[in-house]
């Protein structure tokens, strides 16, 4: 059986997806402002053979009927929140093979500045970085940035334009052979192999040289979680890691098949996209103890905070719906999968489910061996490539997985038992694969000297 | 005599101000892409009792007659270059009391995203961060960002609008008393003390809550280097550290007097701005050896690269001027002080001077004791508060200063001999002064609860 990719889902804030759980006695997320909290966490992840730390991000916070409800601040629902990007070099310095996925939005950053930031991270971490590309639709954030919201499909057109310019900067400006660093001859770089990028797109323009010389991966590993049909096509065309969401194995399997088919349609290999799902685990020496532990965690959830959070993620105010009505009539501009998963049940049932689940995709509860067996069963059914693990308490849930479940998965052979040398892309696709493959759309922006050497590790 | 503030001038690139010196055998700046290079450098600075690491930045590179000359890449003149900001948390983790000044431009970033980045840095470094506010006039960078250049004075109006919105976000959104983090009562923050910021300025708009809760310093220490009259007024109104430039003690003293007078006119204390000048030192056991060492460094300068660099910084192409003509006729939209310093001499003499000096303000050469005596004499004449030290070779020039000159300055009592606890602003203005004083323009955006507690360390 293939080895999985194992990640940790985090946000540089107080709560993750279970609103209210911040106050749990074993919860240390209130230390999110301290660099040492993150350094300890990164080391815990590395000890547990996690492959990456995923840092979600947005500038948004809940809005219900045009107001920010008081519970937002009382329960720290998505605010306060800090920028996740500055953490990465510090955490890279504290670890050896942990990789980092960080989120930026094509709606709020300038592609040139964004590309220079990622190139810098890729240099400083020696190629251990990935970019989670998001397109934001948020009335809240539009107001914070003093702009107006774009319609859904326009946002993806903007995202593609953003990526096209980014690809040109990462892949098409400096050839590898340009950089000589020859002190004896007193030549740093050969000008004939450094090229201007002239991009005149529908949303972004740029004309000139990229500031950064080629980094180990050039384009960072590309991550995307689009769930609408436009979003899925965008992911299939561009992403190397795609987050898939499903309420059961069948929904997951269908999504993964769909994604790989769309990738092939876009001229890429089906295996050039890793499909990753969310996962939470509660484990204990007995099934009963594990279930009791889960219920104890869930008892901390604040229903009002959960409702505000649901509204922020989906645009749907659950308290405004008739509990007896069917969820199938609900429409949204926000996260569609979160709405679609409830389409066969009543609003009341949906609310009860969301209060337990938050945004968690999959919650496995039981003895370590049983959890491992369930994971194997899911992998066999769905063709998943890995999991983004969401803790209930931090660092406790990570320690639990690393100490109790990961050893079981290592015994079965689906989690690695050795340190992983090399870049993030090599971890995903094999030694020597630090650069995007020739079938990726970014490859067409390469200059001659690079195409030949595209697979050469730098 | 008062203690000085001692900084190190750096850029996340290969050359500093002497173009060509990257190839010197003792020069390690070619390692700028490695995190370990910076970590070692930060530790060297801390051992040498440096107070801060200054990270200059711009997206620009040289342009001569509309072309980027080949020497730009051959000698790495301001390109390649990486983003300096991601270095800071990693370097803060590797040191105990080194502070960090990092540059961002009010012309290219969005104030909301920029403020969240700085608040994050201030949290993660426990208040060891400062913001060097620059306004950029660059045809090159305008093209990279797909925008048009603003005229000089407009840029300062834009910068002031940027700062006003930043002040509101840093000082006026979250009161200190809002943040409770009370797990027992399950209340993270009290909503009544968190306020929306509604800014509708001539250049920037924002309406909503600031993502970040109050950091140790709230507004990072503010640094500015404006040299035009508009720039100087902007610095006097806003800055806590101002970089002054002068070719001799009199020019420095006049500038500092002018700056303090303008600050008082703006309602601030004369002592609320620290005036810092550039400094380079070449020292050796004898005067002759020190002079020989300087000449050896200067022998590495590439004249063509130096000319490209001068053109980038000032907008003036030295090779297009008649060597016999007077420099007094030269006008520029770029750095005026760099042009003004040559106003009494011929173009030929100016070129010769610039080839030696680069952008260095002050070069002291001699035995350690003699250099220390010269520093004391400058301080007595000029009312300077400190120096931003520019090395010839790295880390050699820093080690030299730290091991040979700093001990002399400690003996005289003008460099501290103890570790400095607390925030950067406390290092500058004394224990308990982590926040901006009431006389600073940002203070007017504070809400009631904060005004009372403004001087309370967090």
């Amino acid at each position: 059986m293939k080895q999985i990719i194992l990640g940790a889902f985090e946000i540089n804030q107080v709560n993750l997806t279970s609103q209210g759980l911040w106050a749990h006695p074993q919860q240390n997320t209130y230390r999110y402002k301290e660099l040492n909290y993150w350094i300890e966490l990164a080391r815990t992840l590395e000890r547990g053979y996690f492959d990456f730390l995923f840092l979600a991000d947005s500038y948004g916070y809940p809005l219900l009927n045009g107001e920010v409800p008081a519970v937002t601040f009382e329960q720290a629902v998505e605010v306060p929140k800090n920028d996740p990007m500055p953490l990465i070099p510090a955490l890279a310095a504290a670890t050896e093979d942990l990789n980092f996925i960080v989120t930026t939005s094509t709606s709020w950053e300038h592609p040139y500045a964004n590309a220079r930031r990622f190139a810098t991270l890729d240099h400083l971490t020696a190629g251990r970085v990935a970019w989670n590309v998001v397109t934001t639709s948020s009335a809240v954030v539009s107001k914070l940035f003093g702009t107006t919201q774009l319609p859904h499909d326009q946002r993806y057109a903007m995202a593609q334009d953003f990526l096209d310019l980014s690809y040109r900067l990462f892949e098409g400006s400096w050839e590898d052979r340009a950089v000589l660093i020859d002190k004896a001859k007193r030549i740093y770089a050969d000008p004939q192999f450094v090229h201007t990028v002239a991009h005149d797109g529908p949303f972004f323009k740029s004309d000139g040289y990229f500031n950064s010389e080629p980094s180990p991966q050039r384009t960072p590993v590309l991550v995307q979680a689009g769930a609408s049909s436009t979003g899925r096509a965008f992911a299939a065309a561009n992403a190397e890691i795609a987050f898939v969401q499903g309420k059961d194995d069948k929904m997951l399997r269908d999504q993964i098949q769909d994604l790989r088919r769309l990738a092939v349609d876009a001229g890429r290999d089906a295996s050039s996209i890793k499909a990753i799902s969310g996962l939470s685990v509660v484990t204990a020496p007995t099934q009963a103890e594990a279930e009791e532990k889960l219920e104890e965690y869930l008892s901390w959830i604040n229903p009002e905070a959960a409702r505000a959070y649901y509204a922020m993620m989906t645009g749907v105010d659950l308290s405004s719906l008739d509990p007896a009505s069917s969820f199938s009539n609900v429409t949204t501009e926000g996260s569609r999968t979160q709405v679609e998963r409830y389409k066969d049940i009543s609003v009341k049932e949906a609310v009860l489910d969301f209060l337990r689940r938050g945004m968690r995709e999959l919650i496995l509860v039981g003895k370590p061996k049983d959890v491992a067996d369930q994971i194997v069963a899911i992998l066999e059914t769905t063709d998943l490539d890995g999991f983004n693990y969401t803790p209930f308490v931090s660092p406790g849930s990570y320690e639990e997985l690393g100490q109790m479940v990961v050893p079981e998965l290592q015994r079965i052979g689906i989690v690695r038992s050795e340190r992983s040398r090399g870049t993030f892309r090599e971890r995903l696709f094999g030694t020597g694969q630090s650069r995007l493959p020739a079938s990726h759309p970014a490859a067409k922006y390469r200059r001659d000297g690079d195409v030949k050497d595209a697979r050469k590790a730098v």
Side-chain angles (χ1 to χ4, degrees), chain A:
Chain A
M1 240 183 133
K2 67 184 172 188
Q3 263 188 16
I4 60 166
I5 309 292
L6 183 59
F9 176 83
E10 285 288 336
I11 314 178
N12 196 353
Q13 66 183 23
V14 183
N15 283 296
L16 290 177
T17 75
S18 300
Q19 307 304 320
L21 204 56
W22 73 272
H24 193 284
Q26 290 161 34
Q27 188 67 283
N28 287 294
T29 50
Y30 70 92
R31 290 180 56 208
Y32 79 99
K33 294 169 289 187
E34 289 172 48
L35 191 49
N36 273 339
Y37 168 75
W38 290 100
I39 289 175
E40 292 159 19
L41 183 66
R43 288 181 176 148
T44 299
L45 295 176
E46 187 160 79
R47 270 195 307 275
Y49 290 91
F50 280 79
D51 293 300
F52 65 80
L53 168 62
F54 176 88
L55 293 158
D57 190 32
S58 87
Y59 292 95
Y61 43 76
L63 200 68
L64 274 174
N65 307 316
E67 299 276 321
V68 179
V71 72
T72 302
F73 299 103
E74 287 163 2
Q75 297 306 318
V77 183
E78 293 282 312
V79 66
K81 165 168 51 194
N82 282 337
D83 194 321
M85 198 185 263
L87 292 168
I88 293 177
L91 304 187
T95 53
E96 283 179 45
D97 68 3
L98 188 65
N99 300 293
F100 303 92
I101 304 179
V102 66
T103 305
T104 65
S105 170
T106 54
S107 307
W108 312 117
E109 309 297 331
H110 192 282
Y112 193 94
N114 185 70
R116 198 181 72 153
R117 285 189 184 104
F118 273 100
T120 302
L121 292 180
D122 204 50
H123 277 300
L124 294 177
T125 65
R128 289 158 55 190
V129 77
W131 173 20
N132 180 41
V133 183
V134 302
T135 67
T136 319
S137 165
S138 163
V140 166
V141 187
S142 298
K143 280 175 73 183
L144 291 176
F145 281 77
T147 58
T148 48
Q149 251 181 292
L150 279 180
H152 184 83
D153 288 359
Q154 277 273 76
R155 266 165 31 226
Y156 276 101
M158 185 175 183
Q160 192 60 58
D161 192 29
F162 195 115
L163 278 187
D164 288 342
L165 171 51
S166 305
Y167 294 158
R168 283 168 192 256
L169 295 169
F170 288 133
E171 304 284 335
S173 188
W174 293 69
E175 296 184 41
D176 286 337
R177 60 182 168 172
V179 181
L180 304 173
I181 318 183
D182 188 333
K183 278 193 169 192
K185 290 192 181 140
R186 299 201 193 181
I187 295 194
Y188 191 87
D190 187 337
Q192 67 178 309
F193 302 128
V194 189
H195 309 282
T196 53
V197 165
H199 181 82
D200 188 2
F203 297 87
F204 301 105
K205 294 186 202 319
S206 183
D207 187 2
Y209 293 99
F210 190 37
N211 273 192
S212 298
E213 58 180 290
S215 65
Q217 301 184 119
R218 286 186 176 262
T219 303
V221 169
L222 296 160
V223 182
Q224 227 273 331
S228 66
S229 62
T230 326
R232 228 170 273 172
F234 179 80
N238 296 285
E240 301 172 271
I241 293 177
F243 290 112
V244 289
Q245 303 173 319
K247 63 180 173 183
D248 53 34
D249 288 1
K250 184 184 174 312
M251 191 168 155
L252 272 179
R253 192 190 56 207
D254 290 349
Q255 254 198 70
I256 295 168
Q257 278 182 354
D258 188 43
L259 189 72
R260 298 207 200 280
R261 188 183 49 74
L262 286 169
V264 171
D265 289 352
R268 300 176 65 201
D269 287 346
S271 62
S272 66
I273 303 191
K274 301 289 182 190
I276 308 255
S277 161
L279 171 70
S280 293
V281 167
V282 183
T283 191
T286 69
Q287 180 73 27
E289 285 170 274
E291 281 170 14
E292 201 179 311
K293 203 151 114 182
L294 172 63
E295 293 310 315
E296 200 274 335
Y297 290 148
L298 297 178
S299 73
W300 288 83
I301 289 173
N302 179 309
E304 214 189 327
R307 264 199 301 272
Y309 177 57
Y310 190 81
M312 173 180 161
M313 301 304 278
T314 62
V316 176
D317 178 1
L318 293 172
S319 62
S320 73
L321 305 176
D322 172 7
S325 69
S326 164
F327 217 87
S328 61
N329 301 321
V330 176
T331 56
T332 180
E333 270 292 298
S335 172
R336 284 149 204 236
T337 43
Q338 291 300 329
V339 170
E340 276 169 29
R341 81 185 292 143
Y342 294 141
K343 72 178 182 332
D344 301 326
I345 61 174
S346 73
V347 167
K348 186 178 172 187
E349 289 168 309
V351 170
L352 286 173
D353 180 82
F354 189 76
L355 284 181
R356 292 177 65 83
R357 199 179 49 81
M359 289 279 160
R360 294 172 201 274
E361 287 308 311
L362 197 62
I363 306 178
L364 302 181
V365 187
K367 291 187 288 187
K369 176 76 173 61
D370 293 349
V371 168
D373 289 344
Q374 287 181 70
I375 287 174
V376 169
I378 293 165
L379 293 172
E380 283 174 346
T381 319
T382 60
D383 196 26
L384 260 180
D385 294 300
F387 298 99
N388 202 10
Y389 180 74
T390 307
F392 282 94
V393 292
S394 181
S397 297
Y398 292 122
E399 286 164 353
E400 203 173 285
L401 193 87
Q403 288 163 21
M404 296 169 78
V405 179
V406 164
E408 295 289 341
L409 298 173
Q410 288 176 318
R411 212 160 300 148
I412 304 167
I414 60 173
V415 163
R416 66 190 162 90
S417 304
E418 318 79 41
R419 302 279 32 126
S420 168
R421 302 290 167 217
T423 64
F424 194 3
R425 192 169 278 120
E426 289 181 295
R427 170 68 191 102
L428 296 171
F429 300 106
T431 305
Q433 315 290 306
S434 283
R435 302 289 173 79
L436 281 167
S439 59
H440 191 278
K444 69 172 173 285
Y445 297 115
R446 288 183 184 139
R447 305 298 183 133
D448 276 8
D450 281 353
V451 174
K452 276 180 270 167
D453 301 327
R455 291 308 182 101
K456 195 189 71 180
V458 172

